Amino acid sequence: MSYFESLVQRYQPPKLPHLLERQQYIQHERQGVTSLLISSDELSQQDNEDLLRFAFVHYAAVGFLNESLAEQLALECEPVDSLTAEDIHCIVLNSMTGELLAYCTIKKPVNYRGLMGDPGRPLLATENAWGRAAFRNIPWLEFLPVRQVREVGRVVRNGWLRKDDPLAVRSVSEMLLAAFEYLQTPGSDAVAIIGDGEKNIQIRNLLALGVNYCFAEVGERLLPPDHLYYPRYFADDLLPFAFRLSDMDCSALAWFNQALEMDNDTWLMLRTERMAQVTEKLSHLTKELITA
């Protein structure tokens, strides 16, 4: 049995019922699912470790991580010092048991006072993989202050639940909705998102939520082979992107907010219809971008 096979086999998603008591951080609580937005420094070290391990094991299970490096370093999660106090965690829990259903991180602003177009500025994590030049075909990005650009990472759903489990289906939409509701508030100071995602997973889900994509150029991946996330960047349908929050279709967020209030049967029917509508648009947007 390989290192990752052993890690996945013995893993069980954590239960964090104590977070359900922290009402000030709850974004939505409905139909058995609770979403929270909370910064790293408001969580215990154990909570932060549980979140990082949740993402790590799921990434290991789908082949996104460098197994030989992880085994060499005996890694079972990213080190907690990979987080900063200002990272915002979007956490989705089972409202009854506290089981972790979905999770993502909104990374803290980069501490640089200049513009994205400055030649000497520090690279964002996404650019370390794709290169700064990949995003030069998005003119408006060059004029944004770096501190107003965000990256969203560790986007994971509980893989120990059946895909048709209503809580599993709800959890991703609740996670993304909560993240965008936060990013749209003045307090977040965010103007744009830069990142990458799989065409039929993250790209599709964000399109359904009203994202108006600008895709970067898909070229050579720049991460070195000994990087922990090197394998992820050779997925056939991985695409780098940027989008402005002001360009989002806010009616889509409103639609999800209303649909998620419905009972499970109604929600599943509505979501199925919504995603079918997105499929044709997704194909049109990306048909020239995916390389063989």
Side-chain angles (χ1 to χ4, degrees), residues 61-93:
V62 296
F64 281 177
L65 299 178
N66 184 329
E67 184 168 17
S68 61
L69 178 65
E71 183 172 15
Q72 177 186 343
L73 300 177
L75 294 177
E76 295 193 0
C77 68
E78 289 182 70
V80 173
D81 61 12
S82 65
L83 300 173
T84 73
E86 298 174 73
D87 285 342
I88 301 294
H89 304 284
C90 185
I91 302 166
V92 183
L93 303 175

PDB file of all heavy atoms in Angstrom, residues 61-93:
ATOM      1  N   ALA A  61      -5.877  12.108  -2.293  1.00  0.00           N
ATOM      2  CA  ALA A  61      -6.744  11.067  -2.840  1.00  0.00           C
ATOM      3  C   ALA A  61      -6.957  11.203  -4.343  1.00  0.00           C
ATOM      4  O   ALA A  61      -7.157  10.200  -5.036  1.00  0.00           O
ATOM      5  CB  ALA A  61      -8.089  11.076  -2.116  1.00  0.00           C
ATOM      6  N   VAL A  62      -6.918  12.426  -4.852  1.00  0.00           N
ATOM      7  CA  VAL A  62      -7.173  12.635  -6.286  1.00  0.00           C
ATOM      8  C   VAL A  62      -5.884  12.875  -7.082  1.00  0.00           C
ATOM      9  O   VAL A  62      -5.939  13.230  -8.252  1.00  0.00           O
ATOM     10  CB  VAL A  62      -8.159  13.802  -6.516  1.00  0.00           C
ATOM     11  CG1 VAL A  62      -9.515  13.474  -5.914  1.00  0.00           C
ATOM     12  CG2 VAL A  62      -7.630  15.116  -5.949  1.00  0.00           C
ATOM     13  N   GLY A  63      -4.734  12.685  -6.446  1.00  0.00           N
ATOM     14  CA  GLY A  63      -3.475  12.752  -7.176  1.00  0.00           C
ATOM     15  C   GLY A  63      -2.930  14.134  -7.409  1.00  0.00           C
ATOM     16  O   GLY A  63      -2.126  14.349  -8.320  1.00  0.00           O
ATOM     17  N   PHE A  64      -3.322  15.105  -6.576  1.00  0.00           N
ATOM     18  CA  PHE A  64      -2.869  16.485  -6.752  1.00  0.00           C
ATOM     19  C   PHE A  64      -1.545  16.775  -6.055  1.00  0.00           C
ATOM     20  O   PHE A  64      -0.998  17.869  -6.225  1.00  0.00           O
ATOM     21  CB  PHE A  64      -3.921  17.462  -6.213  1.00  0.00           C
ATOM     22  CG  PHE A  64      -5.086  17.696  -7.140  1.00  0.00           C
ATOM     23  CD1 PHE A  64      -6.135  18.510  -6.747  1.00  0.00           C
ATOM     24  CD2 PHE A  64      -5.142  17.126  -8.396  1.00  0.00           C
ATOM     25  CE1 PHE A  64      -7.208  18.738  -7.598  1.00  0.00           C
ATOM     26  CE2 PHE A  64      -6.207  17.351  -9.245  1.00  0.00           C
ATOM     27  CZ  PHE A  64      -7.242  18.164  -8.842  1.00  0.00           C
ATOM     28  N   LEU A  65      -1.039  15.845  -5.242  1.00  0.00           N
ATOM     29  CA  LEU A  65       0.136  16.115  -4.428  1.00  0.00           C
ATOM     30  C   LEU A  65       1.310  15.224  -4.818  1.00  0.00           C
ATOM     31  O   LEU A  65       1.134  14.115  -5.331  1.00  0.00           O
ATOM     32  CB  LEU A  65      -0.187  15.916  -2.947  1.00  0.00           C
ATOM     33  CG  LEU A  65      -1.284  16.798  -2.346  1.00  0.00           C
ATOM     34  CD1 LEU A  65      -1.504  16.432  -0.889  1.00  0.00           C
ATOM     35  CD2 LEU A  65      -0.939  18.271  -2.486  1.00  0.00           C
ATOM     36  N   ASN A  66       2.509  15.706  -4.520  1.00  0.00           N
ATOM     37  CA  ASN A  66       3.749  14.994  -4.777  1.00  0.00           C
ATOM     38  C   ASN A  66       3.938  13.946  -3.679  1.00  0.00           C
ATOM     39  O   ASN A  66       4.349  14.260  -2.566  1.00  0.00           O
ATOM     40  CB  ASN A  66       4.899  16.008  -4.780  1.00  0.00           C
ATOM     41  CG  ASN A  66       6.229  15.395  -5.128  1.00  0.00           C
ATOM     42  OD1 ASN A  66       6.496  14.238  -4.848  1.00  0.00           O
ATOM     43  ND2 ASN A  66       7.093  16.200  -5.748  1.00  0.00           N
ATOM     44  N   GLU A  67       3.632  12.693  -4.007  1.00  0.00           N
ATOM     45  CA  GLU A  67       3.625  11.646  -2.982  1.00  0.00           C
ATOM     46  C   GLU A  67       5.023  11.354  -2.447  1.00  0.00           C
ATOM     47  O   GLU A  67       5.194  11.155  -1.237  1.00  0.00           O
ATOM     48  CB  GLU A  67       2.998  10.372  -3.539  1.00  0.00           C
ATOM     49  CG  GLU A  67       2.866   9.271  -2.485  1.00  0.00           C
ATOM     50  CD  GLU A  67       1.996   8.120  -2.949  1.00  0.00           C
ATOM     51  OE1 GLU A  67       1.746   7.998  -4.176  1.00  0.00           O
ATOM     52  OE2 GLU A  67       1.564   7.334  -2.085  1.00  0.00           O
ATOM     53  N   SER A  68       6.016  11.330  -3.305  1.00  0.00           N
ATOM     54  CA  SER A  68       7.365  11.013  -2.833  1.00  0.00           C
ATOM     55  C   SER A  68       7.865  12.079  -1.867  1.00  0.00           C
ATOM     56  O   SER A  68       8.507  11.765  -0.855  1.00  0.00           O
ATOM     57  CB  SER A  68       8.327  10.863  -4.010  1.00  0.00           C
ATOM     58  OG  SER A  68       8.408  12.070  -4.760  1.00  0.00           O
ATOM     59  N   LEU A  69       7.563  13.346  -2.142  1.00  0.00           N
ATOM     60  CA  LEU A  69       7.957  14.417  -1.236  1.00  0.00           C
ATOM     61  C   LEU A  69       7.204  14.308   0.084  1.00  0.00           C
ATOM     62  O   LEU A  69       7.798  14.451   1.164  1.00  0.00           O
ATOM     63  CB  LEU A  69       7.698  15.781  -1.882  1.00  0.00           C
ATOM     64  CG  LEU A  69       8.012  17.010  -1.016  1.00  0.00           C
ATOM     65  CD1 LEU A  69       9.500  17.080  -0.715  1.00  0.00           C
ATOM     66  CD2 LEU A  69       7.537  18.290  -1.691  1.00  0.00           C
ATOM     67  N   ALA A  70       5.896  14.052   0.012  1.00  0.00           N
ATOM     68  CA  ALA A  70       5.103  13.931   1.234  1.00  0.00           C
ATOM     69  C   ALA A  70       5.607  12.781   2.098  1.00  0.00           C
ATOM     70  O   ALA A  70       5.715  12.909   3.329  1.00  0.00           O
ATOM     71  CB  ALA A  70       3.634  13.727   0.881  1.00  0.00           C
ATOM     72  N   GLU A  71       5.932  11.655   1.467  1.00  0.00           N
ATOM     73  CA  GLU A  71       6.432  10.509   2.236  1.00  0.00           C
ATOM     74  C   GLU A  71       7.798  10.822   2.838  1.00  0.00           C
ATOM     75  O   GLU A  71       8.064  10.487   3.999  1.00  0.00           O
ATOM     76  CB  GLU A  71       6.511   9.283   1.337  1.00  0.00           C
ATOM     77  CG  GLU A  71       6.951   8.031   2.081  1.00  0.00           C
ATOM     78  CD  GLU A  71       6.852   6.782   1.227  1.00  0.00           C
ATOM     79  OE1 GLU A  71       6.723   6.920  -0.004  1.00  0.00           O
ATOM     80  OE2 GLU A  71       6.921   5.675   1.801  1.00  0.00           O
ATOM     81  N   GLN A  72       8.655  11.457   2.065  1.00  0.00           N
ATOM     82  CA  GLN A  72       9.990  11.809   2.554  1.00  0.00           C
ATOM     83  C   GLN A  72       9.916  12.696   3.789  1.00  0.00           C
ATOM     84  O   GLN A  72      10.686  12.538   4.746  1.00  0.00           O
ATOM     85  CB  GLN A  72      10.770  12.515   1.447  1.00  0.00           C
ATOM     86  CG  GLN A  72      12.152  12.989   1.844  1.00  0.00           C
ATOM     87  CD  GLN A  72      12.804  13.812   0.744  1.00  0.00           C
ATOM     88  OE1 GLN A  72      12.382  13.776  -0.410  1.00  0.00           O
ATOM     89  NE2 GLN A  72      13.821  14.561   1.096  1.00  0.00           N
ATOM     90  N   LEU A  73       8.962  13.642   3.794  1.00  0.00           N
ATOM     91  CA  LEU A  73       8.813  14.591   4.905  1.00  0.00           C
ATOM     92  C   LEU A  73       7.784  14.141   5.930  1.00  0.00           C
ATOM     93  O   LEU A  73       7.520  14.867   6.878  1.00  0.00           O
ATOM     94  CB  LEU A  73       8.425  15.972   4.352  1.00  0.00           C
ATOM     95  CG  LEU A  73       9.418  16.613   3.375  1.00  0.00           C
ATOM     96  CD1 LEU A  73       8.871  17.935   2.861  1.00  0.00           C
ATOM     97  CD2 LEU A  73      10.775  16.826   4.050  1.00  0.00           C
ATOM     98  N   ALA A  74       7.195  12.954   5.705  1.00  0.00           N
ATOM     99  CA  ALA A  74       6.152  12.413   6.590  1.00  0.00           C
ATOM    100  C   ALA A  74       5.009  13.406   6.770  1.00  0.00           C
ATOM    101  O   ALA A  74       4.503  13.613   7.874  1.00  0.00           O
ATOM    102  CB  ALA A  74       6.749  12.012   7.940  1.00  0.00           C
ATOM    103  N   LEU A  75       4.578  14.010   5.662  1.00  0.00           N
ATOM    104  CA  LEU A  75       3.515  15.011   5.717  1.00  0.00           C
ATOM    105  C   LEU A  75       2.149  14.350   5.724  1.00  0.00           C
ATOM    106  O   LEU A  75       1.877  13.459   4.918  1.00  0.00           O
ATOM    107  CB  LEU A  75       3.596  15.947   4.514  1.00  0.00           C
ATOM    108  CG  LEU A  75       4.812  16.873   4.403  1.00  0.00           C
ATOM    109  CD1 LEU A  75       4.735  17.664   3.103  1.00  0.00           C
ATOM    110  CD2 LEU A  75       4.876  17.815   5.594  1.00  0.00           C
ATOM    111  N   GLU A  76       1.283  14.800   6.625  1.00  0.00           N
ATOM    112  CA  GLU A  76      -0.125  14.405   6.610  1.00  0.00           C
ATOM    113  C   GLU A  76      -1.026  15.620   6.469  1.00  0.00           C
ATOM    114  O   GLU A  76      -2.239  15.495   6.352  1.00  0.00           O
ATOM    115  CB  GLU A  76      -0.481  13.623   7.870  1.00  0.00           C
ATOM    116  CG  GLU A  76       0.251  12.297   7.954  1.00  0.00           C
ATOM    117  CD  GLU A  76      -0.310  11.368   9.004  1.00  0.00           C
ATOM    118  OE1 GLU A  76      -1.283  11.752   9.683  1.00  0.00           O
ATOM    119  OE2 GLU A  76       0.219  10.248   9.129  1.00  0.00           O
ATOM    120  N   CYS A  77      -0.437  16.805   6.508  1.00  0.00           N
ATOM    121  CA  CYS A  77      -1.140  18.049   6.203  1.00  0.00           C
ATOM    122  C   CYS A  77      -0.083  19.131   5.983  1.00  0.00           C
ATOM    123  O   CYS A  77       1.090  18.920   6.292  1.00  0.00           O
ATOM    124  CB  CYS A  77      -2.107  18.464   7.312  1.00  0.00           C
ATOM    125  SG  CYS A  77      -1.335  18.976   8.851  1.00  0.00           S
ATOM    126  N   GLU A  78      -0.515  20.233   5.428  1.00  0.00           N
ATOM    127  CA  GLU A  78       0.404  21.362   5.334  1.00  0.00           C
ATOM    128  C   GLU A  78       0.747  21.840   6.748  1.00  0.00           C
ATOM    129  O   GLU A  78      -0.084  21.748   7.654  1.00  0.00           O
ATOM    130  CB  GLU A  78      -0.242  22.515   4.579  1.00  0.00           C
ATOM    131  CG  GLU A  78      -0.418  22.311   3.100  1.00  0.00           C
ATOM    132  CD  GLU A  78      -1.029  23.553   2.470  1.00  0.00           C
ATOM    133  OE1 GLU A  78      -0.346  24.582   2.395  1.00  0.00           O
ATOM    134  OE2 GLU A  78      -2.205  23.478   2.067  1.00  0.00           O
ATOM    135  N   PRO A  79       1.937  22.396   6.964  1.00  0.00           N
ATOM    136  CA  PRO A  79       2.239  22.961   8.277  1.00  0.00           C
ATOM    137  C   PRO A  79       1.340  24.154   8.577  1.00  0.00           C
ATOM    138  O   PRO A  79       0.965  24.903   7.666  1.00  0.00           O
ATOM    139  CB  PRO A  79       3.708  23.377   8.162  1.00  0.00           C
ATOM    140  CG  PRO A  79       4.020  23.399   6.711  1.00  0.00           C
ATOM    141  CD  PRO A  79       3.067  22.478   6.030  1.00  0.00           C
ATOM    142  N   VAL A  80       0.977  24.322   9.826  1.00  0.00           N
ATOM    143  CA  VAL A  80       0.082  25.414  10.226  1.00  0.00           C
ATOM    144  C   VAL A  80       0.689  26.769   9.884  1.00  0.00           C
ATOM    145  O   VAL A  80      -0.045  27.731   9.617  1.00  0.00           O
ATOM    146  CB  VAL A  80      -0.259  25.316  11.731  1.00  0.00           C
ATOM    147  CG1 VAL A  80      -1.037  26.540  12.198  1.00  0.00           C
ATOM    148  CG2 VAL A  80      -1.073  24.061  11.998  1.00  0.00           C
ATOM    149  N   ASP A  81       2.018  26.863   9.859  1.00  0.00           N
ATOM    150  CA  ASP A  81       2.630  28.158   9.547  1.00  0.00           C
ATOM    151  C   ASP A  81       2.492  28.525   8.068  1.00  0.00           C
ATOM    152  O   ASP A  81       2.945  29.588   7.643  1.00  0.00           O
ATOM    153  CB  ASP A  81       4.086  28.225  10.006  1.00  0.00           C
ATOM    154  CG  ASP A  81       4.985  27.192   9.342  1.00  0.00           C
ATOM    155  OD1 ASP A  81       4.547  26.553   8.358  1.00  0.00           O
ATOM    156  OD2 ASP A  81       6.129  27.023   9.797  1.00  0.00           O
ATOM    157  N   SER A  82       1.851  27.657   7.264  1.00  0.00           N
ATOM    158  CA  SER A  82       1.513  28.048   5.896  1.00  0.00           C
ATOM    159  C   SER A  82       0.308  28.987   5.881  1.00  0.00           C
ATOM    160  O   SER A  82       0.016  29.614   4.861  1.00  0.00           O
ATOM    161  CB  SER A  82       1.202  26.814   5.039  1.00  0.00           C
ATOM    162  OG  SER A  82       0.037  26.151   5.491  1.00  0.00           O
ATOM    163  N   LEU A  83      -0.403  29.069   7.020  1.00  0.00           N
ATOM    164  CA  LEU A  83      -1.515  30.007   7.164  1.00  0.00           C
ATOM    165  C   LEU A  83      -1.006  31.320   7.753  1.00  0.00           C
ATOM    166  O   LEU A  83       0.032  31.362   8.403  1.00  0.00           O
ATOM    167  CB  LEU A  83      -2.582  29.431   8.104  1.00  0.00           C
ATOM    168  CG  LEU A  83      -3.237  28.120   7.693  1.00  0.00           C
ATOM    169  CD1 LEU A  83      -4.146  27.616   8.819  1.00  0.00           C
ATOM    170  CD2 LEU A  83      -4.025  28.287   6.406  1.00  0.00           C
ATOM    171  N   THR A  84      -1.771  32.381   7.521  1.00  0.00           N
ATOM    172  CA  THR A  84      -1.503  33.644   8.198  1.00  0.00           C
ATOM    173  C   THR A  84      -2.722  34.010   9.035  1.00  0.00           C
ATOM    174  O   THR A  84      -3.825  33.505   8.806  1.00  0.00           O
ATOM    175  CB  THR A  84      -1.230  34.782   7.196  1.00  0.00           C
ATOM    176  OG1 THR A  84      -2.463  35.149   6.562  1.00  0.00           O
ATOM    177  CG2 THR A  84      -0.230  34.358   6.129  1.00  0.00           C
ATOM    178  N   ALA A  85      -2.524  34.919   9.973  1.00  0.00           N
ATOM    179  CA  ALA A  85      -3.621  35.333  10.851  1.00  0.00           C
ATOM    180  C   ALA A  85      -4.785  35.930  10.075  1.00  0.00           C
ATOM    181  O   ALA A  85      -5.940  35.836  10.495  1.00  0.00           O
ATOM    182  CB  ALA A  85      -3.108  36.339  11.882  1.00  0.00           C
ATOM    183  N   GLU A  86      -4.491  36.524   8.905  1.00  0.00           N
ATOM    184  CA  GLU A  86      -5.524  37.205   8.120  1.00  0.00           C
ATOM    185  C   GLU A  86      -6.205  36.318   7.093  1.00  0.00           C
ATOM    186  O   GLU A  86      -7.135  36.765   6.417  1.00  0.00           O
ATOM    187  CB  GLU A  86      -4.910  38.418   7.410  1.00  0.00           C
ATOM    188  CG  GLU A  86      -4.366  39.475   8.338  1.00  0.00           C
ATOM    189  CD  GLU A  86      -3.647  40.557   7.558  1.00  0.00           C
ATOM    190  OE1 GLU A  86      -4.315  41.368   6.891  1.00  0.00           O
ATOM    191  OE2 GLU A  86      -2.407  40.582   7.613  1.00  0.00           O
ATOM    192  N   ASP A  87      -5.771  35.078   6.945  1.00  0.00           N
ATOM    193  CA  ASP A  87      -6.481  34.166   6.055  1.00  0.00           C
ATOM    194  C   ASP A  87      -7.907  33.970   6.573  1.00  0.00           C
ATOM    195  O   ASP A  87      -8.121  33.798   7.777  1.00  0.00           O
ATOM    196  CB  ASP A  87      -5.786  32.806   6.001  1.00  0.00           C
ATOM    197  CG  ASP A  87      -4.521  32.817   5.168  1.00  0.00           C
ATOM    198  OD1 ASP A  87      -4.344  33.754   4.363  1.00  0.00           O
ATOM    199  OD2 ASP A  87      -3.710  31.886   5.319  1.00  0.00           O
ATOM    200  N   ILE A  88      -8.870  33.992   5.661  1.00  0.00           N
ATOM    201  CA  ILE A  88     -10.264  33.762   6.026  1.00  0.00           C
ATOM    202  C   ILE A  88     -10.644  32.349   5.593  1.00  0.00           C
ATOM    203  O   ILE A  88     -10.451  31.967   4.436  1.00  0.00           O
ATOM    204  CB  ILE A  88     -11.205  34.781   5.349  1.00  0.00           C
ATOM    205  CG1 ILE A  88     -10.828  36.205   5.753  1.00  0.00           C
ATOM    206  CG2 ILE A  88     -12.665  34.483   5.691  1.00  0.00           C
ATOM    207  CD1 ILE A  88     -11.034  36.525   7.219  1.00  0.00           C
ATOM    208  N   HIS A  89     -11.195  31.580   6.520  1.00  0.00           N
ATOM    209  CA  HIS A  89     -11.608  30.216   6.242  1.00  0.00           C
ATOM    210  C   HIS A  89     -13.121  30.159   6.086  1.00  0.00           C
ATOM    211  O   HIS A  89     -13.856  30.618   6.965  1.00  0.00           O
ATOM    212  CB  HIS A  89     -11.161  29.283   7.355  1.00  0.00           C
ATOM    213  CG  HIS A  89      -9.683  29.329   7.600  1.00  0.00           C
ATOM    214  ND1 HIS A  89      -8.777  28.719   6.762  1.00  0.00           N
ATOM    215  CD2 HIS A  89      -8.951  29.950   8.554  1.00  0.00           C
ATOM    216  CE1 HIS A  89      -7.551  28.951   7.208  1.00  0.00           C
ATOM    217  NE2 HIS A  89      -7.633  29.705   8.290  1.00  0.00           N
ATOM    218  N   CYS A  90     -13.558  29.623   4.973  1.00  0.00           N
ATOM    219  CA  CYS A  90     -14.976  29.377   4.752  1.00  0.00           C
ATOM    220  C   CYS A  90     -15.222  27.907   5.061  1.00  0.00           C
ATOM    221  O   CYS A  90     -14.722  27.028   4.352  1.00  0.00           O
ATOM    222  CB  CYS A  90     -15.367  29.714   3.323  1.00  0.00           C
ATOM    223  SG  CYS A  90     -17.130  29.554   3.038  1.00  0.00           S
ATOM    224  N   ILE A  91     -15.954  27.651   6.124  1.00  0.00           N
ATOM    225  CA  ILE A  91     -16.134  26.311   6.670  1.00  0.00           C
ATOM    226  C   ILE A  91     -17.607  25.952   6.610  1.00  0.00           C
ATOM    227  O   ILE A  91     -18.465  26.738   7.031  1.00  0.00           O
ATOM    228  CB  ILE A  91     -15.647  26.263   8.135  1.00  0.00           C
ATOM    229  CG1 ILE A  91     -14.173  26.680   8.221  1.00  0.00           C
ATOM    230  CG2 ILE A  91     -15.860  24.884   8.744  1.00  0.00           C
ATOM    231  CD1 ILE A  91     -13.714  26.980   9.637  1.00  0.00           C
ATOM    232  N   VAL A  92     -17.919  24.771   6.099  1.00  0.00           N
ATOM    233  CA  VAL A  92     -19.303  24.306   6.026  1.00  0.00           C
ATOM    234  C   VAL A  92     -19.421  23.025   6.843  1.00  0.00           C
ATOM    235  O   VAL A  92     -18.662  22.069   6.630  1.00  0.00           O
ATOM    236  CB  VAL A  92     -19.740  24.067   4.573  1.00  0.00           C
ATOM    237  CG1 VAL A  92     -21.209  23.641   4.529  1.00  0.00           C
ATOM    238  CG2 VAL A  92     -19.535  25.322   3.729  1.00  0.00           C
ATOM    239  N   LEU A  93     -20.371  23.023   7.792  1.00  0.00           N
ATOM    240  CA  LEU A  93     -20.531  21.921   8.730  1.00  0.00           C
ATOM    241  C   LEU A  93     -21.931  21.336   8.673  1.00  0.00           C
ATOM    242  O   LEU A  93     -22.900  22.027   8.339  1.00  0.00           O
ATOM    243  CB  LEU A  93     -20.273  22.409  10.162  1.00  0.00           C
ATOM    244  CG  LEU A  93     -18.923  23.069  10.464  1.00  0.00           C
ATOM    245  CD1 LEU A  93     -18.913  23.596  11.896  1.00  0.00           C
ATOM    246  CD2 LEU A  93     -17.769  22.102  10.239  1.00  0.00           C
TER     247      LEU A  93
END
